[in-house]
Amino acid sequence: MSKCMAVDGENDFEATVNQLPNSVWESYKFYNKAEEGNWGKAYGLRITIEGQDTLIIRTTTDGADGWLEVFDAQGNNLASARTNYNAIAWRPMFQIRQYFLSGNKYPPELR
């Protein structure tokens, strides 16, 4: 059974920065540009699966799309994705971040 705890920027996410690996905190700061631009929100999740912590940065827009980065407890990137409604396209982190920087562009399978 998984346990999920939201660690949100408005609540305790920033307060726990000293407990997070640098790569996870950097991911949050990267995607927080959506909130700074007032067109989306970045937030963090800590999900424990079979005793192993997984750290997730999830970014959603004011619409139905977003971005996702998944890390292990040491901060190693496990997966990254671009989302659109219920569809998801997994790619290397650098490609997902390029989609973020280029606006609302999608991988071919999400168009």
Side-chain angles (χ1 to χ4, degrees):
M1 165 90 58
S2 330
K3 177 181 163 190
C4 178
M5 177 184 74
V7 280
D8 183 55
E10 295 175 7
N11 297 317
D12 62 348
F13 187 72
E14 291 184 27
T16 62
V17 66
N18 293 330
Q19 301 169 20
L20 296 172
N22 287 339
S23 56
V24 177
W25 182 238
E26 289 300 319
S27 176
Y28 174 76
K29 289 191 298 186
F30 177 83
Y31 288 104
N32 198 47
K33 296 171 191 166
E35 193 162 347
E36 293 167 358
N38 200 32
W39 54 268
K41 180 163 180 63
Y43 54 95
L45 299 168
R46 182 185 316 265
I47 300 174
T48 303
I49 302 169
E50 296 182 8
Q52 300 294 319
D53 275 348
T54 302
L55 306 168
I56 298 168
I57 301 301
R58 175 73 169 127
T59 307
T60 55
T61 67
D62 295 338
D65 62 338
W67 298 264
L68 176 73
E69 290 189 7
V70 182
F71 300 87
D72 65 15
Q74 291 73 42
N76 298 304
N77 180 254
L78 301 174
S80 301
R82 178 74 164 101
T83 62
N84 188 18
Y85 292 94
N86 293 327
I88 191 163
W90 299 99
R91 297 280 192 286
M93 183 169 49
F94 78 91
Q95 285 183 321
I96 296 304
R97 289 187 177 191
Q98 285 301 312
Y99 285 114
F100 179 81
L101 292 172
S102 65
N104 281 333
K105 295 193 176 177
Y106 296 101
E109 64 268 35
L110 295 184
R111 291 184 200 147

